Amino acid sequence: GGAGSEELASAVSPEMQKHLESCVDNHGKMIPCLMHPGQSYIECIDGCKAIQKCPDENSQRECRQLFDDNEDERNSCEEEVKWCISYREQIILPENDGAIAVNNAKIVNTSENNYHSQRGYIPWTQHCIDSSGLPTQTPGQNSVPGPDNLHNCYHSDGSNPVQRNLSGPYAYCGIDSDDDGTATPIICNTTFIGGFVSYNYDPRYRPWYTKTKEMQEPNWSEPYVFFQNDQMGISYSHPIYKTDEDDGRKVFVGVLALDLTLTGIASFLIKNYDEAENIVAIIEESEPNYLIASSTGTTGVKKVLKDDHSMPCPEMEN
């Protein structure tokens, strides 16, 4: 499963900034969480405090005009209106490139704004997990056997053991509320335990998230490639809301998603057609016509260069 939040970008605090120094490369070396040209980021409008009607049909209705003479129906209509936090997508360009607009996204010229050297991100960290489903880096407790079959936790290179001991009031640790209402960041040392790789991952760009925000209702995705493991799968997504304390508005704050891989289909085909004369494959009917599974076990996913699909991607450091 997974989750995405509209409110993540609104909090600029020491607890958030600490994450700038929490990234690692494939070998476990600590590296700063800095963005690079070509990457996108979210820029808040009015500190992400401004809200507007969500794009779904019910929220876009003008209830006062539609039900001006019927108070009950007008109130019912207004209860179905959802409000979305206002932000825009920005893209960092290489230095000395001009600024242009693409798909309503304002492209930032880093030579003028110096964002390339300063803009960081909060990493999405992938952890080793024990048999109870908890993060671990204790030797022998990783639920995945690993390259040496000893159930140890290694970084992505498969040789350097994970030994992460960062501690402090990280944003992921949470907030305590005192009796007087004062918010106090929680000190923790378990946030990155077993974290073997970190990514610049913002769910608000992902198709399951954007679709749910646009629809404002639970939905199933079409098959797509999962970010974390390059496997084919589908997602069930459900919008999350909060009630504004000042005006009672229903505000969309994120998406809760459950991911289902399609590896079971491949296992079925391999088991039942491994000795067949012909290859059996399941291909998605709609474009881009993903290969869902085949009786040979061949994966339908590989990383290639954007400008030359015949060339594999070089090893990424983070």
Side-chain angles (χ1 to χ4, degrees):
S5 171
E6 295 282 283
E7 299 187 311
L8 187 61
S10 65
V12 179
S13 65
E15 293 75 39
M16 286 287 186
Q17 293 171 355
K18 283 178 67 66
H19 290 278
L20 180 63
E21 300 177 355
S22 63
C23 287
V24 293
D25 64 14
N26 288 342
H27 310 289
K29 178 184 177 181
M30 297 287 291
I31 56 175
C33 305
L34 289 175
M35 300 189 68
H36 305 290
Q39 293 182 324
S40 300
Y41 66 94
I42 293 295
E43 181 180 78
C44 285
I45 298 177
D46 190 23
C48 281
K49 297 179 181 179
I51 59 175
Q52 58 187 358
K53 287 184 176 181
C54 293
D56 63 294
E57 183 177 351
N58 285 339
S59 298
Q60 288 295 314
R61 293 185 298 176
E62 297 294 339
C63 297
R64 291 188 177 276
Q65 295 180 10
L66 291 173
F67 306 106
D68 183 54
D69 56 349
N70 190 319
E71 183 177 357
D72 290 339
E73 290 190 6
R74 183 173 68 249
N75 290 338
S76 178
C77 173
E78 290 177 346
E79 288 178 357
E80 295 181 353
V81 175
K82 293 95 172 178
W83 296 82
C84 288
I85 297 171
S86 299
Y87 56 75
R88 52 178 168 258
E89 180 184 351
Q90 304 275 43
I91 301 176
I92 297 179
L93 284 185
E95 294 184 8
N96 301 321
D97 281 1
I100 57 176
V102 177
N103 295 331
N104 297 321
K106 178 183 176 184
I107 311 299
V108 174
N109 185 322
T110 57
S111 62
E112 296 178 0
N113 296 279
N114 198 30
Y115 283 151
H116 176 49
S117 61
Q118 297 182 359
R119 185 162 296 278
Y121 61 89
I122 296 177
W124 179 82
T125 303
Q126 193 167 351
H127 298 76
C128 293
I129 303 297
D130 64 18
S131 59
S132 300
L134 299 175
T136 182
Q137 59 191 32
T138 302
Q141 292 191 4
N142 187 12
S143 59
V144 178
D148 54 8
N149 206 35
L150 296 177
H151 292 268
N152 296 328
C153 184
Y154 294 103
H155 288 283
S156 296
D157 61 2
S159 59
N160 284 302
V162 176
Q163 297 177 330
R164 308 202 66 190
N165 299 299
L166 299 179
S167 64
Y170 283 88
Y172 293 157
C173 301
I175 300 292
D176 262 341
S177 182
D178 300 334
D179 293 337
D180 60 358
T182 303
T184 304
I186 297 174
I187 304 296
C188 69
N189 61 0
T190 60
T191 304
F192 298 99
I193 293 295
F196 62 87
V197 67
S198 51
Y199 301 101
N200 177 11
Y201 174 78
D202 192 325
R204 290 171 293 184
Y205 308 136
R206 300 297 289 168
W208 56 269
Y209 191 100
T210 56
K211 177 182 179 182
T212 305
K213 182 177 181 179
E214 182 177 348
M215 295 177 60
Q216 289 299 312
E217 60 183 36
N219 65 90
W220 285 97
S221 72
E222 298 294 329
Y224 70 102
V225 181
F226 287 163
F227 178 89
Q228 68 270 30
N229 55 21
D230 296 329
Q231 291 183 354
M232 292 296 302
I234 56 176
S235 296
Y236 177 76
S237 302
H238 198 293
I240 304 172
Y241 305 97
K242 74 172 183 179
T243 301
D244 190 284
E245 296 179 356
D246 296 327
D247 53 28
R249 290 174 173 176
K250 190 175 184 179
V251 181
F252 170 74
V253 295
V255 176
L256 179 65
L258 174 67
D259 296 336
L260 300 175
T261 64
L262 303 178
T263 54
I265 299 177
S267 298
F268 173 82
L269 294 180
I270 294 171
K271 179 180 179 180
N272 291 276
Y273 297 97
D274 60 336
E275 297 181 358
E277 295 182 2
N278 299 317
I279 295 175
V280 179
I282 297 177
I283 299 175
E284 185 185 14
E285 183 177 11
S286 58
E287 293 186 355
N289 306 116
Y290 283 123
L291 172 64
I292 303 300
S294 75
S295 57
T296 65
T298 302
T299 177
V301 179
K302 64 178 181 179
K303 293 182 178 180
V304 296
L305 295 178
K306 182 178 180 180
D307 298 329
D308 186 353
H309 291 181
S310 66
M311 296 295 295
C313 289
E315 182 180 358
M316 300 299 291
E317 288 300 313
N318 71 312

